[in-house]
Amino acid sequence: MMSVFLTTYQGAILGPIARLLGYILQGLYSVLSVVGIENTGICMILFTFIVNALMIPMQIKQQKFAKMSSVMNPELMAIQAKYKNKKDQESQQKMSLETQAVYQKYGVSPVSGCLPMLITLPILFALYRVIYNIPAYVPQVYDIYDGLAKVLQEAGVTVSQLADKSYISNPTYVVTQAVKAAKSDAGNINYYIDVLSQFNSSGWDVLIKNHPDLSEVITKTAHQARDINYFLGLNIADTPKIKSVSVIIPIFSIVTQYISTKLSMAGTQQQTANSDNPMGQSMQTMNTVMPFMTGFMCLMFPIGVGIYWIAGNVFRIFQQLCINLYFSKINMDDLIKENVDKAKKKYEKMGMDPSVLDKAAKTRTSNINTNVAQKQKQTSTADNAAKKNSSISDKARKSSTKDIKKSKNSNYKEGSIAAYANMLNRDDK
């Protein structure tokens, strides 16, 4: 048994993550082998559950932001409506600062909703790479194809010939990359294994027909491959067919993803369905269409990919039920207070006066709905507008200095966002 690294994904970002996930998959396969279970389908499902479980803290963070967004959204939309037809620099700066004041009021950072996704997406993409090329990460599976790969190489069979459609239903990224790399490194046995691991059920029979003198070693490898690749009577290397029992894979994928999406949107359904929120409407449409797109894609990829998607959906369904139950017992006022306290500590570390910004946030957002109904005064001439724009930073600096002198802590920085917010408060009066 040997360690395999040559055909693992080598991307600068996803490569290290994929190799780390590969160690988890290898350990899981080894543990299952001890109890007599050597099946990539079962291993794939458990592996997907484990990786998704590791990402639960980030999912909770994202759900918290979604909950907070549903509370903040009316105020944010009101600000957007207020400055809808105002494209001058001063109005845009005011809109930006009022928006920041709303986020400060609730103790939320605008990037807090994106950060968990930015972390989880590379993990999910790396997971996809590992699932697609299990032999590159699990030596026990690699060894199943190793003997046949060497025999085929000695017989003069090329990697390109093995990648023929008579063996593989739909060439995956792993297959195309193996064919490309083998052109410059034909002696590397790993590329043979990459392709052999993607063979469908009929591919082995075709290989025996084309190379009858190698039928014994091909048959032995085919039986071992089928033993580890068959899950619930389906070969995970095959592509689902509509007129076959394998059609349950795309059907289950659609159903499970639809349920998972509905549960994840349950807490923010009112926000998403809001007719005045084009982004919410687009999100709702995408959430409705995506399950069917995934089901269609299942018909083009090996069954193993569909099982991976279904396993992830099932895990997220139970995860979301638990998260929804968790949030149903949390008081939103307490959550806001907790967020604000954390934000204040953060501003303290940055040398900014949190009490001043907190006061500005409350003032800016307390009567925002009333302000939307009022017409804003237009600047009389373009010269006056330019003059006002050029004086914003001066006003901010003066306001910041004045506010900081009043504060008990003299270590806060001048020119903070609190100064801008306070300046705009006086500007509107």
Side-chain angles (χ1 to χ4, degrees), residues 12-33:
I13 297 176
L14 299 185
I17 300 175
R19 285 191 289 276
L20 178 61
L21 295 176
Y23 287 126
I24 297 176
L25 180 62
Q26 179 183 341
L28 180 60
Y29 193 94
S30 299
V31 171
L32 291 176
S33 297

Side-chain angles (χ1 to χ4, degrees), residues 142-312:
Y142 179 97
D143 290 343
I144 291 175
Y145 303 98
D146 183 46
L148 175 60
K150 291 176 180 176
V151 170
L152 289 171
Q153 185 184 54
E154 291 171 359
V157 180
T158 65
V159 173
S160 181
Q161 290 172 336
L162 291 176
D164 189 81
K165 288 187 177 180
S166 59
Y167 303 123
I168 301 171
S169 303
N170 291 297
T172 63
Y173 169 85
V174 173
V175 173
T176 56
Q177 285 298 109
V179 172
K180 182 180 177 180
K183 291 179 180 179
S184 58
D185 189 12
N188 193 329
I189 204 69
N190 291 316
Y191 300 128
Y192 283 84
I193 296 174
D194 286 343
V195 177
L196 288 171
S197 66
Q198 308 291 318
F199 268 36
N200 57 35
S201 298
S202 60
W204 296 108
D205 298 328
V206 176
L207 187 63
I208 292 173
K209 182 179 179 181
N210 292 341
H211 303 278
D213 53 322
L214 304 177
S215 60
E216 184 177 349
V217 64
I218 295 174
T219 300
K220 178 182 177 182
T221 303
H223 285 160
Q224 288 180 309
R226 285 167 181 166
D227 287 342
I228 67 167
N229 286 336
Y230 265 78
F231 179 73
L232 299 178
L234 301 173
N235 188 338
I236 64 174
D238 289 344
T239 302
K241 300 289 189 297
I242 294 180
K243 295 182 179 180
S244 166
V245 68
S246 60
V247 75
I248 64 174
I249 297 300
I251 292 175
F252 279 1
S253 177
I254 293 172
V255 173
T256 53
Q257 185 168 344
Y258 183 80
I259 295 173
S260 174
T261 302
K262 280 295 183 182
L263 287 172
S264 65
M265 296 302 295
T268 56
Q269 189 172 7
Q270 185 176 358
Q271 174 191 355
T272 306
N274 194 321
S275 59
D276 296 328
N277 187 356
M279 187 177 294
Q281 288 182 336
S282 300
M283 183 67 70
Q284 190 175 36
T285 301
M286 186 180 71
N287 289 334
T288 302
V289 173
M290 276 304 294
F292 294 95
M293 289 184 61
T294 304
F296 178 74
M297 291 171 65
C298 279
L299 294 171
M300 298 186 294
F301 290 102
I303 288 173
V305 176
I307 291 175
Y308 156 59
W309 284 337
I310 293 171

Side-chain angles (χ1 to χ4, degrees), residues 30-200:
S30 299
V31 171
L32 291 176
S33 297
V34 171
V35 295
I37 300 176
E38 293 185 343
N39 186 280
T40 53
I42 296 175
C43 190
M44 190 185 303
I45 292 173
L46 295 177
F47 177 56
T48 305
F49 284 178
I50 291 173
V51 175
N52 277 274
L54 294 174
M55 293 190 290
I56 286 179
M58 287 176 283
Q59 293 294 334
I60 292 177
K61 277 184 174 291
Q62 198 167 357
Q63 287 293 311
K64 278 186 177 181
F65 181 81
K67 290 287 184 182
M68 295 300 298
S69 294
S70 65
V71 177
M72 295 187 299
N73 193 58
E75 296 183 30
L76 295 175
M77 290 177 61
I79 293 174
Q80 292 173 4
K82 178 179 177 181
Y83 294 99
K84 184 176 181 181
N85 299 317
K86 299 180 181 181
K87 304 300 181 183
D88 59 281
Q89 183 182 354
E90 181 180 5
S91 296
Q92 291 298 306
Q93 285 179 325
K94 283 186 177 182
M95 182 176 72
S96 177
L97 292 174
E98 288 186 30
T99 301
Q100 180 64 29
V102 173
Y103 280 106
Q104 173 61 19
K105 175 183 177 180
Y106 293 98
V108 177
S109 170
V111 300
S112 58
C114 303
L115 188 58
M117 186 176 294
L118 291 176
I119 296 174
T120 57
L121 280 180
I123 296 175
L124 292 176
F125 286 139
L127 177 65
Y128 175 78
R129 300 284 187 179
V130 175
I131 292 295
Y132 239 142
N133 195 12
I134 292 178
Y137 298 91
V138 181
Q140 297 95 321
V141 178
Y142 179 97
D143 290 343
I144 291 175
Y145 303 98
D146 183 46
L148 175 60
K150 291 176 180 176
V151 170
L152 289 171
Q153 185 184 54
E154 291 171 359
V157 180
T158 65
V159 173
S160 181
Q161 290 172 336
L162 291 176
D164 189 81
K165 288 187 177 180
S166 59
Y167 303 123
I168 301 171
S169 303
N170 291 297
T172 63
Y173 169 85
V174 173
V175 173
T176 56
Q177 285 298 109
V179 172
K180 182 180 177 180
K183 291 179 180 179
S184 58
D185 189 12
N188 193 329
I189 204 69
N190 291 316
Y191 300 128
Y192 283 84
I193 296 174
D194 286 343
V195 177
L196 288 171
S197 66
Q198 308 291 318
F199 268 36
N200 57 35

